[in-house]
Amino acid sequence: MNDELNEHDEERKPTFPDSLTDLHRFRKTAHGHDGSSRIIMVRKTDQRTFASLNDGEEPTLNTVTRETVETFRGQRSECKVTTEKKDFGEKCPPEIVEALAEKASQTPKKTPVRKSSNPKSDFQLECLRAHNAYRKSHGVPPLKLDKEICKFSQQWADHLVRRGALVHSNNRDYGENIFMMQSSNPNFTVSGNEAVDSWYDEIKFHKFGEEPKSLSSGHFTQVIWKDSTQLGVAFAKHKDTVIVVANYYPPGNIIGSFSKNVPPPEELLPSHNNNNTIELSGIKFKVYFSFNYCFVYFIAPLSKLSITSRSSSKDLRSVTEGSFNEVFLEAHNNYRKMHGVAPLQLDKSLCRYAEEWAKHLASKNILEHRPESNYGENIYCLYTSDPSFKINGNTPVDTWYEEIKNHPFGREPSNLKSGHFSQVIWKSSETLGVGVAKSTQGSIYVVANYFPAGNFIGHYVENCPPVKPKFYKNISDRPEVDDSTDGLGENRKTDVEDLADEFAREALKVHNEYRRKHGVPDIKLSREICSFAQDWAETCARTASLQHRANNPYGENIFSMYSSDYSHVPTARDAVKEWYDEIKKYTFGVERVPQGSLHFTQVIWKASTTLGVGIAKNKKGQTYVVCNYHPKGNFIGQFSENVPKPRP
């Protein structure tokens, strides 16, 4: 490249473009122009020679000469002209021809890749290919991309990335997998393979050939779920976060269908040529390797698999420990008592029904729910190679109850990860049946049926209350009380003692003290409303939030107190007095909504006749008191008649 300066300072010939950074160094000319008005012209010449090698032709040397002339006035470009000249046909020297031939033989030809004009479409195809590669390795049919499901996935991905959260949608039409990646590099991208690889990686948690006890491998099983045929996938990005959502139809992860829908990789199937059996301490194991994972299967001696599939009463006695049915029922009721719901009763006809299905499962050696059953159902399976092993009644119930950690108290669940637990404590269920059977392969099946059935959408909040605090007595343990009793006669004390504990009775006493000051009738306690108030008090304590229940049919006052002494419990008088003290903000005889004293007005609301009291405490030292009133108070236009002045 040649740079030339056409001006008075040709002898110095400064380089370009550094020479243009300080034009004031040029001396003023005889014409009196200053540095800023000088015109500078720069000519750049670029000459390149390269070899052209076309199939079937002799190599030639081609030369391209490019010249650029640019003029500047001061530091500002004024005009720029570029010309190009090409010379062809020079014969290549032999040494260049040899070098080109050698390089061509070493470099594989690349198929030109068209630059993507739609990154989302390419991502979807890449994700689909990754799914089908894994599905092929498990011998299940490939998925097909569906535009409508992709659109649905995109909407949820956009929603999640705006919230910055990773939660499943409430849709019940599709199965769903979600993936999130974050990076400090704002230009990072996620490939379709990364999301699918992450989901498939859960294969290490899955036990093939049996129903999973948890969904720790749920993403993996949905990826290869045999019955799923369509896929919709999308991603959304915001700042440092990318979220991928995949939806599947028909949905996978159906309880009782894992064995037939989640086959092991074909590479895991034993071949006749593989001698991959190992023996440790006299016990034989089969070992398979696939996809960077190692799978070990226990091989039970045939002599230990001699039980027939038709279970007789004698067979069941050899499988179950002690009074299995009674212990099984007691385990249920112990847990139900912790949640304040009524105990179940054992039903013989329901036991026969459950045993019938348990024998069916044992004969088929599968784990699936009975189709079109009118009862709720929990199933448990345990494999053992020990013919003398006996199962006790606590084990299945304890396993189901452990799902409590997955249950969202106070709202409807978005999945059935806690379905066994919720059926165990389902408040509306009254009777229980249980059946046990053992397969020839050594699997023990336990089936429990419940009536009325539980796990109905829209009814979880009322039927799955949280564990009641120890300092609050269980309302369900108390005998029925006629709510028509006014609570003022000779039997008032006995009725109230049967209805609520000391805290509730104290709350009632304080309410009526204040109500008498205003000349309004006493209120009485209601078992039903106490249970209602207790449920919400526990919800407030669990969520550590002071908020009113939505769509509440009752009037409601809520009180909260914190103490660094976690054993401290406020008195009922503390709560009711705080509500009543709002009287100082209330103006009697004026018909308007008293925003600062609505707790006070509800306490003495003349038309309210019954009261429910609930109290709960959390591990943060917060205590919540909830009182509900019927009929509810604080109606616009009725304050004057229902909130009289205190008597002199």
Side-chain angles (χ1 to χ4, degrees):
M1 178 183 296
N2 298 321
D3 293 343
E4 296 180 17
L5 294 174
N6 295 332
E7 273 298 338
H8 301 291
D9 296 322
E10 289 183 2
E11 295 179 357
R12 302 184 63 173
K13 295 182 179 180
T15 59
F16 177 82
D18 293 340
S19 60
L20 301 181
T21 60
D22 187 9
L23 300 180
H24 294 286
R25 65 181 180 76
F26 294 103
R27 294 174 298 168
K28 294 183 179 180
T29 65
H31 300 289
H33 296 157
D34 60 18
S36 63
S37 64
R38 294 168 63 85
I39 298 178
I40 300 174
M41 182 175 70
V42 177
R43 176 181 288 110
K44 298 187 295 182
T45 302
D46 181 16
Q47 188 176 68
R48 298 182 182 181
T49 301
F50 57 93
S52 176
L53 182 63
N54 296 322
D55 292 339
E57 297 182 5
E58 184 179 353
T60 59
L61 291 179
N62 299 334
T63 301
V64 176
T65 303
R66 183 179 289 108
E67 185 176 67
T68 301
V69 178
E70 188 171 8
T71 60
F72 293 84
R73 182 177 295 278
Q75 297 184 12
R76 186 176 59 203
S77 176
E78 190 172 61
C79 181
K80 183 177 182 180
V81 179
T82 301
T83 59
E84 186 177 283
K85 179 182 178 182
K86 298 181 180 180
D87 295 319
F88 304 94
E90 294 186 27
K91 190 174 181 179
C92 259
E95 59 272 18
I96 296 181
V97 175
E98 293 177 4
L100 288 173
E102 182 180 359
K103 184 175 182 181
S105 64
Q106 296 175 353
T107 306
K109 292 185 178 181
K110 295 183 179 180
T111 304
V113 179
R114 185 180 62 176
K115 189 174 181 180
S116 172
S117 58
N118 190 340
K120 289 190 176 182
S121 177
D122 289 348
F123 176 87
Q124 292 168 349
L125 292 174
E126 185 178 18
C127 199
L128 175 68
R129 287 192 291 267
H131 273 83
N132 288 337
Y134 282 127
R135 291 173 68 86
K136 184 177 180 180
S137 69
H138 288 260
V140 298
L143 299 172
K144 293 183 179 179
L145 211 59
D146 184 275
K147 291 183 179 180
E148 288 300 317
I149 305 179
C150 284
K151 183 178 179 181
F152 181 87
S153 299
Q154 188 65 61
Q155 292 173 347
W156 190 246
D158 293 338
H159 170 76
L160 293 181
V161 83
R162 287 194 302 268
R163 287 185 55 189
L166 202 64
V167 294
H168 283 282
S169 63
N170 291 323
N171 91 84
R172 299 184 180 275
D173 297 325
Y174 307 121
E176 188 172 71
N177 279 347
I178 305 178
F179 170 86
M180 181 174 71
M181 179 178 285
Q182 294 178 309
S183 174
S184 57
N185 178 11
N187 298 319
F188 85 104
T189 58
V190 173
S191 68
N193 288 325
E194 288 179 281
V196 184
D197 290 346
S198 173
W199 296 329
Y200 187 86
D201 189 54
E202 292 179 0
I203 187 176
K204 57 180 176 284
F205 303 123
H206 191 74
K207 294 183 179 180
F208 293 99
E210 62 182 71
E211 294 296 304
K213 296 179 180 178
S214 69
L215 282 181
S216 57
S217 61
H219 296 95
F220 155 70
T221 52
Q222 178 59 88
V223 167
I224 68 163
W225 193 263
K226 185 178 181 180
D227 286 348
S228 295
T229 59
Q230 295 175 306
L231 170 70
V233 63
F235 75 90
K237 181 178 180 182
H238 179 65
K239 295 181 180 179
D240 63 345
T241 302
V242 169
I243 289 180
V244 179
V245 175
N247 286 110
Y248 307 80
Y249 182 82
N253 293 339
I254 305 298
I255 297 173
S257 302
F258 280 85
S259 297
K260 66 178 181 179
N261 279 282
V262 187
E266 292 181 341
E267 287 83 349
L268 291 180
L269 300 178
S271 66
H272 298 292
N273 299 324
N274 289 339
N275 185 17
N276 49 3
T277 302
I278 63 174
E279 185 170 337
L280 298 175
S281 302
I283 302 175
K284 290 184 178 181
F285 296 87
K286 206 77 169 177
V287 184
Y288 304 118
F289 295 89
S290 177
F291 299 104
N292 299 322
Y293 300 111
C294 172
F295 297 84
V296 182
Y297 292 89
F298 169 64
I299 304 175
L302 290 177
S303 61
K304 295 187 177 182
L305 299 176
S306 58
I307 297 179
T308 62
S309 60
R310 294 184 178 179
S311 303
S312 65
S313 300
K314 182 178 180 180
D315 292 331
L316 292 181
R317 285 196 297 271
S318 66
V319 172
T320 58
E321 183 180 280
S323 302
F324 180 87
N325 288 11
E326 288 72 16
V327 174
F328 188 80
L329 174 66
E330 184 181 6
H332 273 81
N333 289 336
N334 286 340
Y335 283 126
R336 292 173 67 87
K337 184 176 181 180
M338 290 169 54
H339 292 261
V341 298
L344 298 172
Q345 301 293 328
L346 205 63
D347 184 275
K348 292 183 178 180
S349 62
L350 206 53
C351 285
R352 290 192 294 270
Y353 183 85
E355 185 175 343
E356 178 185 279
W357 189 246
K359 290 180 178 179
H360 169 79
L361 298 180
S363 65
K364 301 291 185 180
N365 202 33
I366 57 176
L367 196 67
E368 62 182 9
H369 284 281
R370 187 194 294 254
E372 300 179 0
S373 175
N374 294 324
Y375 305 108
E377 186 172 72
N378 278 348
I379 304 178
Y380 174 83
C381 179
L382 174 68
Y383 169 78
T384 177
S385 61
D386 182 1
S388 62
F389 176 83
K390 295 184 179 181
I391 187 172
N392 63 56
N394 287 303
T395 301
V397 187
D398 291 343
T399 302
W400 297 331
Y401 187 83
E402 285 176 1
E403 293 180 0
I404 186 176
K405 60 181 179 291
N406 301 320
H407 192 75
F409 290 101
R411 61 183 176 87
E412 295 295 305
S414 58
N415 55 59
L416 281 179
K417 290 183 178 180
S418 59
H420 297 93
F421 155 75
S422 53
Q423 178 60 86
V424 167
I425 68 158
W426 194 262
K427 186 176 181 180
S428 298
S429 295
E430 299 173 354
T431 56
L432 169 70
V434 59
V436 184
K438 188 172 183 178
S439 72
T440 56
Q441 287 77 21
S443 294
I444 299 174
Y445 292 88
V446 179
V447 176
N449 287 117
Y450 307 80
F451 180 80
N455 292 335
F456 279 96
I457 298 172
H459 296 274
Y460 279 87
V461 176
E462 63 194 81
N463 281 284
C464 296
V467 177
K468 290 189 174 296
K470 292 182 179 179
F471 62 82
Y472 195 87
K473 293 182 181 178
N474 196 323
I475 294 176
S476 64
D477 290 340
R478 305 184 182 102
E480 293 289 342
V481 175
D482 183 3
D483 280 345
S484 63
T485 304
D486 62 8
L488 297 177
E490 294 181 357
N491 295 328
R492 172 180 177 274
K493 182 177 180 181
T494 303
D495 289 340
V496 174
E497 285 177 340
D498 288 339
L499 182 64
D501 68 355
E502 183 64 29
F503 188 93
R505 288 188 282 115
E506 179 67 15
L508 176 67
K509 175 183 176 182
V510 178
H511 269 84
N512 287 334
E513 286 178 2
Y514 286 127
R515 292 174 67 87
R516 290 166 190 163
K517 289 179 62 175
H518 292 260
V520 298
D522 285 2
I523 55 177
K524 59 184 178 62
L525 284 170
S526 164
R527 169 179 174 168
E528 180 183 352
I529 304 177
C530 278
S531 178
F532 187 85
Q534 181 63 28
D535 286 344
W536 191 246
E538 290 166 3
T539 299
C540 292
R542 179 178 54 82
T543 59
S545 60
L546 194 68
Q547 57 182 344
H548 285 283
R549 188 196 296 252
N551 303 319
N552 196 335
Y554 305 114
E556 186 171 72
N557 280 346
I558 305 180
F559 167 87
S560 175
M561 175 179 284
Y562 166 78
S563 175
S564 57
D565 177 6
Y566 286 8
S567 64
H568 174 74
V569 178
T571 65
R573 187 171 294 275
D574 292 333
V576 184
K577 182 178 183 302
E578 181 170 293
W579 298 330
Y580 183 83
D581 283 348
E582 292 179 359
I583 186 175
K584 59 192 174 195
K585 302 178 183 178
Y586 186 75
T587 304
F588 291 94
V590 177
E591 193 55 63
R592 59 184 176 84
V593 179
Q595 295 296 343
S597 55
L598 289 173
H599 296 95
F600 155 70
T601 52
Q602 178 60 86
V603 168
I604 68 164
W605 193 263
K606 184 177 181 179
S608 295
T609 59
T610 52
L611 171 70
V613 183
I615 180 171
K617 187 170 183 177
N618 59 28
K619 295 180 180 179
K620 299 179 181 179
Q622 299 167 328
T623 303
Y624 293 84
V625 177
V626 175
C627 283
N628 287 118
Y629 307 82
H630 177 75
K632 66 167 59 177
N634 294 337
F635 280 98
I636 298 174
Q638 299 179 21
F639 282 90
S640 297
E641 61 182 288
N642 281 283
V643 186
K645 293 181 180 181
R647 288 180 174 178

